[in-house]
């Protein structure tokens, strides 16, 4: 019987990048991102999936472009999954701010 072995380095690299990005964000931008993420928490359905309003998603997009991926286009609602990935990534950064010891 064989067990699949997942490469840990990829997940460690992603986690380290989120921590670095969370530290690099200025305090003014941190306040604004925190305000937006608190509004996003209200938009989850019963299964825990994000229901992202276009207006709030577009408010978060400049911060995502500034700190995470400057190549992100403005049409994040076109494919359906892009907005969810953006909010998931920013929410993981928000969680790092909430619990800085981990």
């Amino acid at each position: 019987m064989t067990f699949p072995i997942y490469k840990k380095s990829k997940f460690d690299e992603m986690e380290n990048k989120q921590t670095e990005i969370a530290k690099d964000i200025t305090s003014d931008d941190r306040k604004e991102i925190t305000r937006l993420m608190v509004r996003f928490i209200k938009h989850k359905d019963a299964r825990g999936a994000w229901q992202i309003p276009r207006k709030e998603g577009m408010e978060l997009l400049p911060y995502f472009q500034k700190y995470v991926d400057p190549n992100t286009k403005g049409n994040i609602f076109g494919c359906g999954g892009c907005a969810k990935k953006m909010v998931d990534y920013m929410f993981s950064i928000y969680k790092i701010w909430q619990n800085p010891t981990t």
Side-chain angles (χ1 to χ4, degrees):
M1 177 180 229
T2 59
F3 294 103
I5 299 173
Y6 298 101
K7 292 184 178 179
K8 190 175 181 181
S9 62
K10 182 176 180 181
F11 296 109
D12 289 340
E13 181 181 318
M14 288 174 58
E15 185 174 322
N16 290 339
K17 188 175 180 183
Q18 289 172 346
T19 306
E20 291 172 9
I21 291 171
K23 290 178 184 177
D24 290 342
I25 295 176
T26 63
S27 62
D28 292 335
D29 288 346
R30 182 181 288 195
K31 289 177 187 175
E32 186 64 23
I33 292 170
T34 301
R35 182 185 67 81
L36 290 170
M37 294 314 297
V38 168
R39 287 173 37 191
F40 275 120
I41 292 171
K42 298 175 186 175
H43 296 290
K44 280 191 168 186
D45 64 4
R47 296 172 293 171
W50 295 107
Q51 300 296 322
I52 304 166
R54 181 178 290 270
K55 179 184 173 198
E56 292 163 355
M58 294 307 286
E59 288 178 20
L60 185 62
L61 181 62
Y63 299 106
F64 185 78
Q65 289 173 332
K66 183 177 181 181
Y67 293 107
V68 180
D69 187 11
N71 297 326
T72 305
K73 304 292 184 212
N75 188 15
I76 59 170
F77 290 96
C79 66
C82 298
K84 182 187 175 307
K85 289 177 186 175
M86 177 190 69
V87 173
D88 283 342
Y89 198 86
M90 294 303 281
F91 193 71
S92 64
I93 290 173
Y94 173 69
K95 287 194 295 190
I96 290 171
W97 293 335
Q98 296 251 311
N99 190 10
T101 58
T102 57

